[in-house]
Amino acid sequence: MPESLFVTGGTGMIGRDMIARILRESDAEVCVLIHRRCRGASSADLARALLGAPAAREQDRRLRLVAGDVTAPDLGLSADEYRRTCATASGILHAAATTRFDLPLEEARRVNVAGTANVLALAKGCGRLERFGFVSTAYVAGRRTGTILESEREHGEGFVNSYEQSKYEAEALIEDSLNGVPAAVYRLSTVLGDSRTGRVAHPTAPHHALRMMHLGLASMLPGAPENTVDLIPGDGAACALYRLFTDHFQAGQVLHLTAPEAGSYTLAEIVEQSYRFLAEADPAWGARRYPAPVITSPDTFELFVRSAEQANNPLMRGAMKTLRHFAHQLAYPKRFDRSRLLACLPRYDEDMPDVRSYYAKVVASCVGSGWRRHA
Amino acid sequence: MPVKVSASPARPSRRFSDSGPSVGITGLAYRLPRRRLSLEQLEAGGSIASPAAVLRDFGFAHCHVHEEDAPFDDALIESGREALERAALPRDDVGLLLRISGLAEYAPPARPDTPLDLFRYPAARAHHELGLTRARALALSQQGCSGLLSAIDLAAASLRASDEPSALCLAGDALPRGACREIMYNVMSDAGAAVLLQRGATRNTLVSFHQQTRSWYWDTPAREQEILAAYFPVAQRVITAALEKAGLRMADVAWFVPHNVSLRSWQILARLLRLPEEKVWTRNIARVGHTVSCDHVINLTDMESEGALRPGDYMVLFTFGLGASWSCMVLRH
């Protein structure tokens, strides 16, 4: 009997690549929970979007969409659909999340914590369930600095934004469910875009920061010039995640899918390269000669943000708000230990594209699309 | 290996000791209009855009407004007279008179009675009123608050390249009557000031000057937000460059002589530069507020009269002019 997978977040940065891989590389049947507001979409539409047109008929046939909402009881599914999923799902990949960094904590919790609780409730009702994959973030480490082990979660250092905290709390729910749910946690680094095309399916904080630079509104960033900025490409992340979930799954596993050793820009480098690649992608922009932001202490950055807020300047306040919710993470240098990951995927570092090889494409894609979300 | 984003464009940058005889500032004077308004008065009169409480938190308290019937340029001429007298300099020794305005242009009469009304020059009037005999008189404008430092740099270069002993710079602006007194979160005063430069002087000698003009920002109303964002990164780089030209480290500097923009912005800039805030002479921000082109003269004059300066002290004069130019001059007292 072929495997039957239930996937949330299937239209997000990682979920869409994962579904494409599952359809291409296995004979599994995939049921994707799409948000109610996308109710009109068909599986053929999604298959075409993921696999290119025309999707193979057989792959199309194995893909099924159900409309729902992770924040709703029973995921917003009909009783029949819920029962059917419980009866058939042998694997669940929970990738749905809000990745906005600027949400109030309660709002982030509603999607990322309560949503995870709802998916776990479904998992507990799945009689055939063999694997439950939870897509998390390496930044559940919050304001910690230094080496972060895959085995560690609990800490008291606090968080830079509500996204980090809500994912941290969601991981706690996963831990608490391990007796009844065979779950693994995949902590991804910041996903930048596709390494082959530069395509950004879903612009997130780093892309918004890049946009502030493009608008000439980036004044300063907190951190130290030599701090590294951990970034991974969406396709590389999905490839590793697929292999971990299908070939190396182990309940209780927590893995860091972060940048390879020496595969990261420093903060100073990424600022410099951002301005270089923006100028290449948009020569008229280059002629404006916007200055690159100053890299400064978190205190100074915060004083500047507070002043912009006090001045009630809407544009500057908005720009700084955009930067504020993720930029402070740059001031907490950390190294993500990947011993367990490398034990599963010894070639991970060779297979994961170095940011230096694709950052220009991502910048060009952002400029080309006007930072719009790709369908 | 990271690649540089873009080559640095050519920009005025000098270390003066390598380029001829020393030039120093031997006379300073300024005049503020008598009418002084508090933030509350400005707020009540609708003359500021931000709440008075915010501007107070940013370090402002008062501003001076020219409302007298007498021509505003009288303030500059009186300052020039005082500067010449302080230096006890014969009028014949002045070879150059520069009249500096930070505004886009002198407003011509709205309805000139004759075309000749368009040719009534304040620079020539000052020349006459001060009794100058040999000086060339001309005006410089369109550099906003950077204008005076640029004029000092140009005057110094002129003195070094000639045998003229001195040059007089007269700077000042009055905003139009009824104008908003807040520009980009700064409270603006009217003022006139004079700077006398002498070749061979040993006091307040010019050590280095560095300026960056970024003309993308020329359309100030359209680029206001981008200018606010660019201010700190470029300020940090221009000050660092001026110090490098002077062969100085931050620790060698006795005083930062600011343009009197908000105290808050100086607190931020000081942190970016790792500069102790007490090295920035900020007391005139509350007393006077920001003037278009006279802040450095006002501050230097007060610093001298209060005995804050010791011989040999290095001073860093920084300013930003809409338009946009970031300027930094290093002086040795």
Side-chain angles (χ1 to χ4, degrees), chain A residues 219 289-290 292 307 310 313, chain B residues 57 214 225-226 229 237 264:
Chain A
S219 195
R289 296 178 52 235
Y290 286 130
S307 304
Q310 225 180 331
N313 177 310
Chain B
D57 211 33
R214 289 179 175 248
Q225 306 301 323
E226 294 157 64
R237 284 156 206 165
R264 178 67 60 81

Side-chain angles (χ1 to χ4, degrees), chain A residues 329-347:
Chain A
Q329 186 54 253
L330 302 172
Y332 297 95
K334 44 178 75 75
R335 179 187 156 270
F336 298 105
D337 177 71
R338 295 169 301 125
S339 304
R340 291 176 173 181
L341 172 82
L342 293 173
C344 294
L345 302 177
R347 286 187 46 81

Side-chain angles (χ1 to χ4, degrees), chain A residues 175-190:
Chain A
E175 273 178 29
D176 292 346
S177 303
L178 279 174
N179 276 340
V181 179
V185 174
Y186 306 110
R187 290 179 182 160
L188 271 58
S189 182
T190 305

Side-chain angles (χ1 to χ4, degrees), chain A residues 195 231 233 260-265 349 352-359:
Chain A
S195 69
L231 298 164
E261 294 291 338
S264 295
Y265 282 133
D349 281 2
M352 184 65 80
D354 185 314
V355 67
R356 292 171 184 82
S357 70
Y358 65 87
Y359 188 51

Side-chain angles (χ1 to χ4, degrees), chain B:
Chain B
M1 192 71 178
V3 178
K4 287 284 177 200
V5 177
S6 61
S8 293
R11 54 183 68 112
S13 185
R14 252 184 276 284
R15 179 181 160 80
F16 295 109
S17 56
D18 298 338
S19 53
S22 71
V23 173
I25 295 171
T26 56
L28 291 163
Y30 70 89
R31 293 286 185 278
L32 294 169
R34 277 190 298 275
R35 185 167 164 74
R36 186 170 187 244
L37 299 173
S38 68
L39 290 174
E40 288 68 27
Q41 288 172 303
L42 291 169
E43 189 171 49
S47 300
I48 49 178
S50 299
V54 170
L55 294 174
R56 187 176 302 286
D57 211 33
F58 284 5
F60 297 106
H62 296 96
C63 84
H64 290 259
V65 179
H66 172 76
E67 286 186 347
E68 294 86 355
D69 291 332
F72 172 71
D73 266 56
D74 286 2
L76 284 72
I77 293 165
E78 286 170 23
S79 301
R81 193 172 286 127
E82 184 181 332
L84 288 167
E85 284 164 7
R86 280 188 177 183
L89 191 76
R91 301 300 201 255
D92 289 353
D93 281 3
V94 180
L96 178 65
L97 172 69
L98 295 176
R99 199 297 184 199
I100 299 104
S101 168
L103 304 182
E105 55 191 335
Y106 290 119
R111 290 171 178 272
D113 292 333
T114 78
L116 293 179
D117 283 347
L118 299 169
F119 300 90
R120 302 169 80 245
Y121 296 126
R125 177 177 170 237
H127 187 283
H128 174 70
E129 296 282 348
L130 291 170
L132 303 182
T133 54
R134 296 188 315 99
R136 291 171 291 156
L138 68 155
L140 300 173
S141 69
Q142 300 189 8
Q143 265 213 334
C145 305
S146 275
L148 180 58
L149 292 190
S150 280
I152 292 171
D153 175 54
L154 292 172
S158 168
L159 293 181
R160 279 192 205 92
S162 69
D163 55 4
E164 293 292 353
S166 71
L168 182 63
C169 300
L170 302 179
D173 292 285
L175 299 183
R177 192 173 291 225
C180 180
R181 286 279 153 186
E182 180 187 345
I183 296 180
M184 291 189 180
Y185 312 106
N186 296 301
V187 175
M188 302 298 298
S189 278
D190 303 326
V195 177
L196 181 67
L197 293 150
Q198 286 187 262
R199 192 154 59 92
T202 55
R203 193 162 68 98
N204 296 330
T205 52
L206 279 63
V207 180
S208 74
F209 179 63
H210 188 78
Q211 182 174 82
Q212 273 196 29
T213 295
R214 289 179 175 248
S215 50
W216 166 250
Y217 304 109
W218 74 269
D219 188 349
T220 302
R223 305 278 168 241
E224 180 182 359
Q225 306 301 323
E226 294 157 64
I227 292 168
L228 287 168
Y231 174 79
F232 289 109
V234 184
Q236 187 207 39
R237 284 156 206 165
V238 165
I239 291 168
T240 304
L243 285 172
E244 279 174 10
K245 294 283 183 321
L248 298 174
R249 296 162 304 151
M250 199 63 74
D252 299 324
V253 177
W255 284 107
F256 264 68
V257 186
H259 60 150
N260 294 339
V261 293
S262 75
L263 181 61
R264 178 67 60 81
S265 73
W266 273 103
Q267 289 166 341
I268 294 170
L269 189 53
R271 290 181 187 197
L272 293 180
L273 293 164
R274 299 174 194 276
L275 163 74
E277 280 178 38
E278 57 270 20
K279 280 193 176 183
V280 187
W281 182 272
T282 55
R283 65 188 68 175
N284 278 331
I285 294 173
R287 184 179 77 87
V288 180
H290 182 30
T291 68
V292 176
S293 49
C294 302
D295 291 349
H296 295 111
V297 181
I298 294 169
N299 292 334
L300 278 172
T301 304
D302 290 4
M303 291 167 79
E304 281 198 339
S305 66
E306 291 184 31
L309 301 175
R310 292 171 305 175
D313 275 354
Y314 284 105
M315 298 173 283
V316 172
L317 285 61
F318 171 74
T319 190
F320 163 74
L322 292 168
S325 300
W326 285 256
S327 307
C328 186
M329 181 172 279
V330 179
L331 299 180
R332 188 165 191 266
H333 187 59

Side-chain angles (χ1 to χ4, degrees), chain A residues 5 9 41 69 93 104 134 180 242 310 324-325 333 340 345 358 364:
Chain A
L5 301 178
D69 181 350
L93 182 70
F134 177 61
Y242 174 77
Q310 225 180 331
R324 182 189 223 171
H325 290 285
R340 291 176 173 181
L345 302 177
Y358 65 87

